[in-house]
Amino acid sequence: MPFPTTRMRRMRRTGALRGLVRETQLDAGDFVYPLFVTHGTDRREPIEAMPGISRLTIDHVVAEAAEAVALGIPALMLFGIPDHKDEEGSSAWDEEGVVQLAIRAIKDAHPELLVIPDLCLCEYTSHGHCGVLRAGPDGLPSVDNDATVELLARTAITYAQAGADMIAPSDMMDGRVGLLRAELDEAGFPDLAIMAHSAKFASAYYGPFREAAGSTPAFGDRRSYQMDPANGDEAVREALLDVQEGADLVLVKPALPYLDVIRRVKDATGMPVATYNVSGEYAMVKAAAAAGYIDERAVVIETLTSIRRAGADVVITYHAKDAARWLSEME
Ligand code: PBG
Ligand code: ZN
């Protein structure tokens, strides 16, 4: 006797049936497109490991903003590449810094586009760590959590004044979400949202980004403040803490090796969850596609769909423009 046709198989027979019961929708409206902003004018410096992505001067950033709007991408994330780095990362809170100027320029040209500056010091410090250093108990330099949080808050205020819609602290210092919320409220920015990098893992997938941002730590690594890739319970605890401190969205980073964490954080918090499909994830897809080993378009759509299915409401991805274009062609 043949096996009877299952309900599942019946509903897979045509595209119309599959569409009718599809559980996860992939939409450009859920993408955030990251950009690297540098000083000067009319320069695009390609990043070798990330084909299609460049360090951009502000005029080019504004051009990218127009493209994002045309493609239905609602938000940009900004990373600054300053021309001056020092021990403290003082360019981060410069009112005329690259990110502050870029926020103003984007908001002038496209007020409806959401601008989300990354908030961290690693792109601005000469040593490449995410905070300021002091001698630890063993005499070796380590990141000074509380001093760093103060500097982050100072930086956040300058982003708010420039017109940012949301800030995304990616430093992983303790207590920064609570302090940021309090200082932003006090400075008159109660509506500025916080997308907290709650579970940011000490990942090898950040390699191409650090090349792009010139933010590879000069010594040591980030394992004393970023999370151990082996820990899922801890990620949930970090997310719950950030929610308690006032985070509006909680973020898991990277995305693909941590899909289980995305799902757990979503279930445990019930909050909007964002994730960052990082530079190394992008570089692998681009390299395999360039070699002709995979179908880039199909792999990107499948990957982003899997990230959404895992529970991410918001996906920060370097594929955003391509994916938005492909999705509109598939309609
Ligand atoms: C650090 C930061 C990192 C990324 C963005 N901000 C990681 C790091 O260097 O530790 C990585 C993003 C990517 O790889 O695309 N604040
Ligand atoms: Zn950092």
Side-chain angles (χ1 to χ4, degrees):
M1 243 233 320
F3 290 112
T5 300
T6 60
R7 293 189 183 89
M8 282 79 81
R9 183 135 53 95
R10 234 181 333 262
M11 294 305 286
R12 270 177 217 140
R13 216 164 36 81
T14 67
L17 287 166
R18 289 191 296 273
L20 188 68
V21 296
R22 184 163 295 129
E23 298 173 35
T24 305
Q25 308 302 331
L26 186 61
D27 189 294
D30 299 317
F31 296 160
V32 178
Y33 187 50
L35 295 175
F36 297 97
V37 191
T38 191
H39 53 89
T41 50
D42 199 20
R43 267 185 10 262
R44 298 179 77 95
E45 303 168 1
I47 297 156
E48 203 188 320
M50 302 174 70
I53 306 294
S54 303
R55 287 182 285 251
L56 307 169
T57 52
I58 291 174
D59 46 331
H60 285 278
V61 166
V62 174
E64 294 284 333
E67 266 193 70
V69 170
L71 289 165
I73 297 167
L76 299 178
M77 175 165 276
L78 301 181
F79 292 95
I81 315 290
D83 50 3
H84 166 80
K85 300 193 186 211
D86 57 31
E87 282 278 309
E88 282 204 299
S90 64
S91 295
W93 56 87
D94 179 353
E95 283 166 25
E96 304 289 309
V98 278
V99 168
Q100 288 82 351
L101 294 175
I103 296 170
R104 289 198 185 89
I106 296 166
K107 287 310 258 187
D108 272 352
H110 304 281
E112 74 284 15
L113 186 63
L114 300 171
V115 180
I116 312 173
D118 172 76
L119 178 63
C120 198
L121 298 183
C122 55
E123 300 116 72
Y124 305 91
T125 52
S126 43
H127 44 75
H129 277 286
C130 296
V132 287
L133 304 174
R134 66 170 157 75
D138 48 8
L140 298 172
S142 75
V143 171
D144 184 337
N145 186 91
D146 297 11
T148 299
V149 173
E150 294 292 340
L151 297 176
L152 291 171
R154 186 163 165 187
T155 304
I157 304 284
T158 66
Y159 292 158
Q161 287 164 341
D165 297 280
M166 195 184 289
I167 48 165
S170 67
D171 52 287
M172 286 296 278
M173 298 302 126
D174 284 344
R176 92 282 206 209
V177 173
L179 188 89
L180 285 169
R181 185 70 275 155
E183 302 235 337
L184 287 167
D185 288 354
E186 194 179 329
F189 300 103
D191 292 331
L192 191 85
I194 299 176
M195 180 196 278
H197 284 58
S198 302
K200 180 175 177 185
F201 290 90
S203 172
Y205 285 90
Y206 305 145
F209 172 93
R210 291 182 187 172
E211 178 205 317
S215 62
T216 305
F219 60 88
D221 54 44
R222 300 204 209 288
R223 282 183 291 185
S224 66
Y225 42 101
Q226 298 181 351
M227 283 192 49
D228 184 336
N231 296 356
D233 295 344
E234 185 188 353
V236 171
R237 290 201 301 275
E238 287 278 12
L240 290 170
L241 266 180
D242 284 349
V243 172
Q244 230 172 44
E245 289 182 32
D248 299 285
L249 295 92
V250 288
L251 184 145
V252 175
K253 174 180 184 175
L256 275 188
Y258 302 95
L259 293 180
D260 57 324
V261 177
I262 293 173
R263 167 51 56 192
R264 291 184 60 185
V265 166
K266 180 69 186 171
D267 289 345
T269 63
M271 294 290 293
V273 171
T275 189
Y276 200 138
N277 176 223
V278 301
S279 58
E281 299 175 65
Y282 178 82
M284 292 195 303
V285 170
K286 292 302 259 190
Y293 297 158
I294 57 169
D295 174 344
E296 179 178 355
R297 173 177 160 151
V299 164
V300 168
I301 297 296
E302 180 178 339
T303 300
L304 297 176
T305 301
S306 75
I307 291 171
R308 293 266 299 122
R309 189 198 61 238
D313 303 284
V314 177
V315 187
I316 304 166
T317 178
Y318 302 101
H319 296 294
K321 282 198 316 186
D322 289 335
R325 219 171 277 124
W326 293 328
L327 287 169
S328 70
E329 288 163 13
M330 284 159 71
E331 267 164 16

